[in-house]
Amino acid sequence: MSLRDSLAAAGEEAATRRTEPTDKGFVGHKTYSDLKTRIHRKLLDRVDLAMMEKLSPEQLRSELKTLVERLLAEETLAINDDERKNLVSDIQHEVLGLGPLEPLMADPGISDILVNTWRQVYVERNGKLELTQVHFENEQHLLKIIDKIVSGVGRRVDESSPMVDARLPDGSRVNAIIPPLAVDGAILSIRRFAVVPLRMEDLVRYRALTPEMAQILEGLVKAKVNLLISGGTGTGKTTLLNILSGYIPAAERVITIEDAAELQLQQPHVVRLEMRPANIEGKGEVNQRMLVRNSLRMRPDRIIVGEVRGAEVLDMLQAMNTGHEGSMTTVHANTPRDALIRLENMIGMAGLNLPPKTMRQQISSALTVIIHVSRLSDGKRKLTSIQEITGMEGDIITMQEIFTYEQTGVAADGSVHGHFRATGIRPKFVDRLRVHGVVVPDDLFDPLRQYE
């Protein structure tokens, strides 16, 4: 959305706001909303859009601050310094950012922002949901913020297309759903991404896994082992996928395929592909399966699919089986075994009438390791299982667990107690790791060693 559109939307939104008392501290009959509405309108009349569109974001923010303060000086209403700063900040947020959500976006401790209609905003902090004091002025205000987000990435949301997935410039994932599907009003969910991407050392420090498990995962990526990361919503699958991708050698060509682009790969040779929804006429859709097929013609060394959720899993598995080793993807599942069942069900979506054994053979030959992540009841995220697919026994895919997290109890404050340990099984992939120069000592798999 251009500066012209942003200013116009801000002005239209200001004109539709309710003028009711606020907690900003103003006295007299003039409310905070009244004053902000007037300042918006005057700003639209006086701003030089052609000149301001040439400014950098920092210069534009400074120029808006100067203009708003100049307009405030013309007002006869007496306001203190705190109220003046609030007005300047709020107008800057409306024009340049996400309005009332900007302070939440600036808080690095917040991982999710959940807008449950314009009246109520929750955030997730340290794995726990908290109700905030933030709210929008009305439904129209929230809808304009949603429109600003989705139009910035070439998508739309309206009554004919009331659901949308999008992303913010920082990579944060956005989902919006509006009436008539959202009964009580528009709903907005923002899955934040860290400004500084997490590294494996961070996960070890947070006790999401052990150094030994981290060593194994690094070796699996360097040895070009096909990986599947499974887990529930919000367990950190994409975060772990980002971290693992950091071990891919810089000389390899990596192609990423996502619904809404959010992976933050650090390699120099990365090609990012993103799905496209249908236009208002119902045409022009580019789905994930089409992108996976096209990526095979782009000479990839590795293919990373942000998440498989449909028929594209068949093409992904075939790619893993035909030379694109070291590829990775994620899937929603409650357990590693459930992940295999989901893959089998998704192959059925491809419209091929394959017998179950054939589908399972395709899965077992393509994938080598399943990494399962979970969010515990205290909000902490743990890598709870690393399992190796060993082949087929009859019609069943066989797996062996290499590392596990065992929960032993819950403390009075709600924190979960447990420990990591190896199962004592020496995985078959150790020999592959050694061939690729990754030496793993056998004592890593000692079941007597436990880690809190």
Side-chain angles (χ1 to χ4, degrees):
M1 180 177 286
S2 68
L3 173 62
R4 185 183 302 274
D5 295 333
S6 296
L7 283 168
E12 290 171 7
E13 183 276 319
T16 62
R17 289 182 178 177
R18 300 182 305 167
T19 56
E20 57 186 27
T22 71
D23 57 359
K24 294 290 182 178
F26 284 86
V27 294
H29 65 284
K30 297 295 185 182
T31 68
Y32 184 80
S33 293
D34 287 332
L35 183 57
K36 190 155 62 170
T37 298
R38 249 193 344 271
I39 297 300
H40 269 304
R41 289 172 176 170
K42 290 184 178 180
L43 185 66
L44 285 172
D45 292 337
R46 300 192 185 184
V47 70
D48 184 351
L49 291 174
M51 181 273 293
M52 296 189 75
E53 285 182 337
K54 299 177 182 178
L55 301 179
S56 67
E58 294 77 15
Q59 292 172 322
L60 181 55
R61 186 173 295 275
S62 175
E63 188 69 19
L64 283 173
K65 180 176 183 292
T66 301
L67 286 172
V68 172
E69 289 180 340
R70 187 180 303 163
L71 293 171
L72 284 173
E74 300 174 4
E75 294 289 328
T76 57
L77 182 65
I79 59 175
N80 60 39
D81 287 341
D82 288 340
E83 293 164 344
R84 185 182 299 272
K85 289 178 181 177
N86 285 335
L87 268 169
V88 172
S89 177
D90 284 353
I91 292 176
Q92 286 177 326
H93 290 162
E94 291 293 341
V95 175
L96 301 177
L98 303 183
L101 300 182
E102 277 298 308
L104 303 180
M105 294 295 296
D107 187 342
I110 293 175
S111 56
D112 286 274
I113 300 173
L114 308 171
V115 181
N116 300 341
T117 74
W118 64 272
R119 301 177 182 86
Q120 191 180 68
V121 179
Y122 278 86
V123 298
E124 181 186 296
R125 196 191 306 270
N126 299 322
K128 295 289 187 179
L129 290 178
E130 302 175 4
L131 178 63
T132 71
Q133 298 300 314
V134 175
H135 62 85
F136 292 80
E137 295 292 339
N138 51 37
E139 178 78 356
Q140 289 71 32
H141 186 194
L142 174 56
L143 288 172
K144 288 191 179 296
I145 294 297
I146 292 174
D147 186 62
K148 179 186 288 189
I149 294 172
V150 301
S151 62
V153 291
R155 302 199 176 188
R156 63 186 179 86
V157 58
D158 49 39
E159 287 190 4
S160 63
S161 180
M163 293 187 298
V164 66
D165 285 313
R167 69 180 187 278
L168 296 175
D170 67 354
S172 297
R173 181 195 304 173
V174 177
N175 175 269
I177 181 167
I178 66 172
L181 300 187
V183 177
D184 298 319
I187 307 295
L188 176 67
S189 305
I190 301 177
R191 175 70 52 83
R192 296 283 315 282
F193 260 53
V195 176
V196 179
L198 291 175
R199 298 179 300 175
M200 188 64 79
E201 306 89 84
D202 299 316
L203 296 190
V204 173
R205 188 172 69 254
Y206 298 150
R207 297 184 178 180
L209 75 170
T210 68
E212 288 73 16
M213 295 166 72
Q215 183 179 348
I216 290 294
L217 295 182
E218 178 181 353
L220 291 172
V221 176
K222 290 181 177 179
K224 305 192 74 172
V225 173
N226 293 328
L227 304 177
L228 175 68
I229 301 173
S230 66
T233 300
T235 54
K237 298 187 299 297
T238 303
T239 298
L240 181 58
L241 184 60
N242 261 322
I243 293 171
L244 294 181
S245 67
Y247 296 122
I248 298 175
E252 295 188 15
R253 176 176 169 88
V254 182
I255 296 180
T256 68
I257 300 168
E258 301 173 83
D259 186 358
E262 54 183 327
L263 291 172
Q264 299 170 300
L265 273 65
Q266 306 302 311
Q267 281 74 15
H269 198 165
V270 177
V271 178
R272 306 172 71 204
L273 305 180
E274 184 180 49
M275 294 169 54
R276 186 180 70 183
N279 59 24
I280 196 169
E281 299 174 350
K283 300 178 181 179
E285 178 186 10
V286 178
N287 60 36
Q288 204 157 341
R289 187 174 192 188
M290 296 166 67
L291 291 179
V292 172
R293 286 179 171 178
N294 189 78
S295 70
L296 300 177
R297 306 183 184 100
M298 299 173 67
R299 200 269 178 207
D301 288 307
R302 305 195 196 211
I303 300 173
I304 297 180
V305 178
E307 179 188 340
V308 289
R309 54 170 67 93
E312 70 275 0
V313 69
L314 180 60
D315 301 287
M316 180 71 193
L317 293 174
Q318 288 177 339
M320 291 178 171
N321 271 325
T322 54
H324 302 92
E325 296 178 317
S327 296
M328 295 178 275
T329 188
T330 72
V331 66
H332 276 82
N334 292 327
T335 67
R337 177 62 65 178
D338 287 345
L340 296 181
I341 295 173
R342 281 215 66 208
L343 293 182
E344 187 176 333
N345 291 337
M346 287 187 284
I347 291 176
M349 297 179 187
L352 301 178
N353 190 20
L354 298 176
K357 185 173 182 178
T358 301
M359 290 190 285
R360 292 166 189 166
Q361 287 174 335
Q362 181 85 350
I363 294 170
S364 65
S365 61
L367 294 172
T368 302
V369 173
I370 299 179
I371 304 165
H372 190 74
V373 290
S374 303
R375 182 167 59 176
L376 307 183
S377 58
D378 61 358
K380 294 179 182 176
R381 294 163 172 86
K382 302 281 188 183
L383 198 160
T384 53
S385 182
I386 298 178
Q387 301 208 17
E388 180 184 35
I389 296 177
T390 57
M392 297 274 295
E393 285 188 6
D395 291 345
I396 304 299
I397 298 175
T398 56
M399 295 191 295
Q400 57 186 16
E401 190 167 41
I402 311 302
F403 291 96
T404 185
Y405 177 80
E406 295 179 345
Q407 181 175 333
T408 57
V410 179
D413 62 357
S415 60
V416 173
H417 289 175
H419 58 262
F420 294 98
R421 71 172 182 86
T423 60
I425 297 175
R426 184 181 183 276
K428 295 181 178 180
F429 60 66
V430 168
D431 296 329
R432 180 185 176 103
L433 267 58
R434 184 176 290 109
V435 169
H436 285 78
V438 180
V439 179
V440 179
D442 287 339
D443 60 0
L444 255 64
F445 309 109
D446 184 357
L448 300 179
R449 298 170 61 179
Q450 294 185 358
Y451 306 85
E452 296 298 323

